[in-house]
Amino acid sequence: MDAINFTILIIGALFVVSIIATLVSARIGAPFLLVFLIIGMLAGEQGILGISFDNPQVAFLIGSIALVIILFDGGMRTHPERFRVALAPAAMLATLGVVITCTITGLAAAWILGIHWLQGLLLGAILSSTDAAAVFSIFQSRGVRIKDRVASTLEIESGSNDPMAVMLTVTLVGVLAEYTALDWSVLIVFLKQAIIGGAVGYGAGRLFVFLCRKLPLSFAFFPLMAVACCIFVYAITTQFEGSGFLAVYLMGYLVGNARLPQVLYILRVHDGLAWLSQIIMFLMLGMLVVPSQLLEHLLPALAIAAVLIFIARPIAVVLSLIPFRFPAKDQLFISWVGLRGAVPIILALFPWLAGVPDEHLYFNVAFVIVIVSLVLQGWSITSVSRWLKLEVPKESGPDQTMPLDAISSNDVIEVVSFELKPDSPMLDMQWAEL
């Protein structure tokens, strides 16, 4: 009992420290996710608390559930107009862009580390996915608002490129573990994952909306049902060899854009759950790493990070966006905001779990590159957007919204409040139209 209570004490203290640290992070402009990683490392085996955590199975389980919640929340906050203006370019980045990034980074990694080219491609696949958690959280926490087409492209890409990265990683892990072949069947596997993931996600989203309208549950239960359903949908999709991440993201998009009174409650609860998931995931991954092992691969990892950030990602963006005529400064910003976050670290657990030789190499290199990406790219998003003149003024909106669940209606009904100042744009509105 004493050991259990002490463990609960440590977990609670880490959560409190992480939440308070966000204030410091916001003040100095550091990405929240970087702060969570550092706190996890300080609590880890070679840190202040000396917590020994060396269980990739548990890390993979917790990380997968956390990513499901984060992607579902990101899908709910993606509006239809974003798909209309950015679906095609985002899809190219999430498919062709991932393959190009994987190839260039992988071949460079094989040369830098002196390993087999297949091992290099596996590392490239692990690093090829931009992280929805990192992109969504930095945009939200910084209050950064940029051109709709650019922002929509980044958000949709980061939420939908995980299936390709996962497929490439799993395939190459299978080849290196000698239980699969590298041939044209890879394309069939990808199409199968995309089709099944899309179909299950669409069906699950429609079914959830139908249940929200028919089930006489208390409003407090709908956020809980959303969590349960998104985890179930991820699991059932992967059982049918589909992309669970794609299914969850699409389900979240359909739920978030449905005209449901419950959506406001779900969004409010999931905002907190998404942050909780990020804290848990990054604290855990920080504790999983051994800092002394990072130092062994520090210089090669920095070289690979340079190739990824300054060569592979820009080339992938330029080639993927050729048909869509993005201005040069838009392409430059999209290249720079290809952040790496928890997804590469989670994918780096695949070789570890499969028993591929040099399994710690992938994890340690991926961890260093994620830190470099968060420090270099994440810390400079606001400055780069202003330098490229892509930041736009925030839209006028209410300071606060409050749902009215006492009124029976099939539509979303809210009370909105505004703080009126002499220069407020609200004074120029025609209130009769509201």
Side-chain angles (χ1 to χ4, degrees), residues 234-288:
Y234 169 79
I236 197 67
T237 306
T238 55
Q239 287 296 313
F240 286 101
E241 300 182 354
S243 172
F245 292 127
L246 177 61
V248 167
Y249 181 78
L250 182 56
M251 176 186 170
Y253 168 77
L254 293 172
V255 172
N257 290 283
R259 296 286 298 175
L260 292 172
Q262 297 94 331
V263 167
L264 290 173
Y265 287 87
I266 295 173
L267 284 171
R268 280 205 171 94
V269 173
H270 268 265
D271 186 40
L273 287 177
W275 278 111
L276 178 63
S277 298
Q278 291 182 60
I279 293 173
I280 292 174
M281 182 166 54
F282 279 84
L283 286 177
M284 176 194 65
L285 294 174
M287 289 190 291
L288 188 63

Side-chain angles (χ1 to χ4, degrees), residues 298-376:
L298 180 61
L299 293 180
L302 291 175
I304 296 170
V307 172
L308 173 64
I309 294 171
F310 297 107
I311 300 176
R313 171 69 177 180
I315 291 176
V317 169
V318 171
L319 294 179
S320 299
L321 298 182
I322 286 176
F324 307 105
R325 299 181 181 179
F326 275 75
K329 64 179 183 179
D330 291 8
Q331 295 186 42
L332 180 59
F333 187 75
I334 292 172
S335 300
W336 189 249
V337 189
L339 277 82
R340 269 61 193 176
V343 172
I345 303 177
I346 296 296
L347 292 182
L349 295 175
F350 281 41
W352 198 343
L353 295 171
V356 173
D358 300 322
E359 69 275 7
H360 289 284
L361 170 69
Y362 304 101
F363 183 82
N364 292 329
V365 170
F367 197 95
V368 171
I369 292 175
V370 167
I371 292 179
V372 171
S373 178
L374 289 174
V375 170
L376 185 61

Side-chain angles (χ1 to χ4, degrees), residues 185-265:
S185 63
V186 171
L187 180 60
I188 298 175
V189 172
F190 170 72
L191 292 175
K192 181 180 179 181
Q193 285 197 357
I195 292 172
I196 294 176
V200 174
Y202 180 84
R206 293 298 185 191
L207 179 60
F208 186 87
V209 172
F210 173 80
L211 292 176
C212 285
R213 289 183 175 137
K214 297 298 181 180
L215 293 179
L217 292 173
S218 167
F219 271 62
F221 284 103
F222 284 104
L224 302 179
M225 189 171 76
V227 174
C229 287
C230 70
I231 294 175
F232 175 77
V233 166
Y234 169 79
I236 197 67
T237 306
T238 55
Q239 287 296 313
F240 286 101
E241 300 182 354
S243 172
F245 292 127
L246 177 61
V248 167
Y249 181 78
L250 182 56
M251 176 186 170
Y253 168 77
L254 293 172
V255 172
N257 290 283
R259 296 286 298 175
L260 292 172
Q262 297 94 331
V263 167
L264 290 173
Y265 287 87

